[in-house]
Amino acid sequence: MPTVSVITGGAGGMGLATAKVVGRDHAVVLCDVRQDRLDAASAALNDLAISAAVINSDVTDRDAVAELFGMAGAIGPITSVIHTAGVSPSMGDADYVMRTNAIGTLNVNEVFYDTAGEGSVIVNVASMAAHLLPEELIPARQFPLALTDEHAFLAAMAAVCDPIPQQARSGFAYAVSKAFVRWYSSSQAERFNGRGLRVVSVSPGSIDTDMGRLEAEAGAGALVADAAVPRWGKPEEMADLLAFCASAKAGYLTGTDILNDGGVVASMKERARLAAGNA
């Protein structure tokens, strides 16, 4: 029976690129909400002789996520989950962004925690946006609500986002939702370790995918131009990192976030420091 790697958002740019790496050693189960993209991803993997099952599933629905894991587990033991499913600010309003990125992450991780066998790992995709958001704007004290009362959590996040001007609200919600992904992947590491599980997050910068390019006109393009590595990241560069984090080679890695952004955050922080010193 083959070992299985589940990749949410598996029909997207980073998800499919990761499947091409992980699929060398595992049976791959791709989850996405768009069947046409799933079919295309499956065909692309089949051309590479990679075994892939595709499941149309919405990560914001806990029951659907449980069904996804049940179907994947029937293929073989799930040893890794790479959670790339998410949306960008250009794809919806603040509530949609928060629900997809934060609640989607919560659902996938909690079902993983309940069902995964010892030694398994989940790798969550956060964002450099979470690193750029000032600490005082991150409502971390309210993040634990997600574990006990989803409705109260979403109401608290809405209260944080509502004062932001309409044109910037989705972007702010995106940064907060990805800060939640980082928080969850760190704060829950000890709990996961109690079941012999690892949980890690990775924060990409501007990656050359369909979703990444949606943000090119919303500021990401300028950030890339000023980065230490002045170009868009490649999906394959993220895929190799995600696959490593999910592998046995990274068996000591848990409870942390890896920023892979071409130096954007480091550059911006240093420029801010210099500017403050010259003020």
Side-chain angles (χ1 to χ4, degrees), residues 42 57 73 92 95 153 159 163 166 180 241 259 272 274:
S42 177
S57 184
D95 178 72
F153 168 76
Q166 184 67 42
F180 173 84
L241 176 57
L259 176 62
L274 292 172

Side-chain angles (χ1 to χ4, degrees), residues 222-275:
L223 291 178
V224 169
D226 291 338
V229 181
R231 64 169 174 82
W232 289 74
K234 300 174 184 178
E236 294 77 15
E237 291 171 318
M238 287 306 308
D240 284 333
L241 176 57
L242 293 169
F244 171 76
C245 291
S247 73
K249 294 179 180 179
Y252 199 55
L253 184 69
T254 192
T256 193
D257 179 82
I258 299 174
L259 176 62
N260 189 18
D261 70 336
V264 169
V265 172
S267 177
M268 292 187 69
K269 288 185 175 180
E270 178 62 10
R271 291 181 186 190
R273 184 189 70 81
L274 292 172

Side-chain angles (χ1 to χ4, degrees), residues 89-123:
S90 296
M91 297 172 72
D93 63 18
D95 178 72
Y96 175 70
V97 170
M98 186 66 65
R99 187 179 299 274
T100 303
N101 294 347
I103 298 301
T105 294
L106 179 75
N107 288 342
V108 173
N109 280 261
E110 289 298 315
V111 173
F112 169 80
Y113 175 83
D114 289 338
T115 60
E118 185 175 353
S120 299
V121 54
I122 186 164
V123 184

Side-chain angles (χ1 to χ4, degrees), residues 19-273:
K20 291 177 181 179
V21 180
V22 175
R24 299 168 189 164
D25 304 308
H26 303 273
V28 174
V29 175
L30 304 182
C31 152
D32 208 285
V33 293
R34 286 183 51 183
Q35 190 62 46
D36 58 331
R37 284 161 53 99
L38 281 170
D39 293 340
S42 177
L45 292 173
N46 286 338
D47 288 344
L48 299 173
I50 293 175
S51 173
V54 298
I55 299 174
N56 193 315
S57 184
D58 181 355
V59 297
T60 66
D61 182 336
R62 180 74 67 94
D63 291 337
V65 173
E67 184 177 357
L68 163 68
F69 274 74
M71 296 171 70
I75 296 171
I78 299 171
T79 56
S80 63
V81 176
I82 301 171
H83 177 50
T84 76
V87 294
S88 70
S90 296
M91 297 172 72
D93 63 18
D95 178 72
Y96 175 70
V97 170
M98 186 66 65
R99 187 179 299 274
T100 303
N101 294 347
I103 298 301
T105 294
L106 179 75
N107 288 342
V108 173
N109 280 261
E110 289 298 315
V111 173
F112 169 80
Y113 175 83
D114 289 338
T115 60
E118 185 175 353
S120 299
V121 54
I122 186 164
V123 184
N124 297 309
V125 173
S127 170
M128 72 174 178
H131 292 260
L132 293 171
L133 190 65
E135 288 291 331
E136 60 270 21
L137 296 181
I138 299 175
R141 290 185 179 181
Q142 295 162 300
F143 284 168
L145 280 173
L147 296 166
T148 58
D149 190 332
E150 175 183 322
H151 296 293
F153 168 76
L154 288 173
M157 295 303 102
V160 169
C161 294
D162 284 349
I164 304 299
Q166 184 67 42
Q167 66 271 21
R169 197 171 299 162
S170 288
F172 183 75
Y174 176 81
V176 171
S177 71
K178 291 301 188 177
F180 173 84
V181 175
R182 285 186 64 203
W183 170 85
Y184 182 97
S185 302
S186 174
S187 68
Q188 302 308 301
E190 185 174 356
R191 177 166 70 102
F192 276 52
N193 186 62
R195 295 199 61 249
L197 307 173
R198 291 193 297 118
V199 54
V200 181
S201 64
V202 172
S203 287
S206 296
I207 308 301
D208 192 6
T209 62
D210 289 344
M211 190 172 83
R213 286 290 180 178
L214 286 175
E215 303 309 312
E217 302 303 320
L223 291 178
V224 169
D226 291 338
V229 181
R231 64 169 174 82
W232 289 74
K234 300 174 184 178
E236 294 77 15
E237 291 171 318
M238 287 306 308
D240 284 333
L241 176 57
L242 293 169
F244 171 76
C245 291
S247 73
K249 294 179 180 179
Y252 199 55
L253 184 69
T254 192
T256 193
D257 179 82
I258 299 174
L259 176 62
N260 189 18
D261 70 336
V264 169
V265 172
S267 177
M268 292 187 69
K269 288 185 175 180
E270 178 62 10
R271 291 181 186 190
R273 184 189 70 81

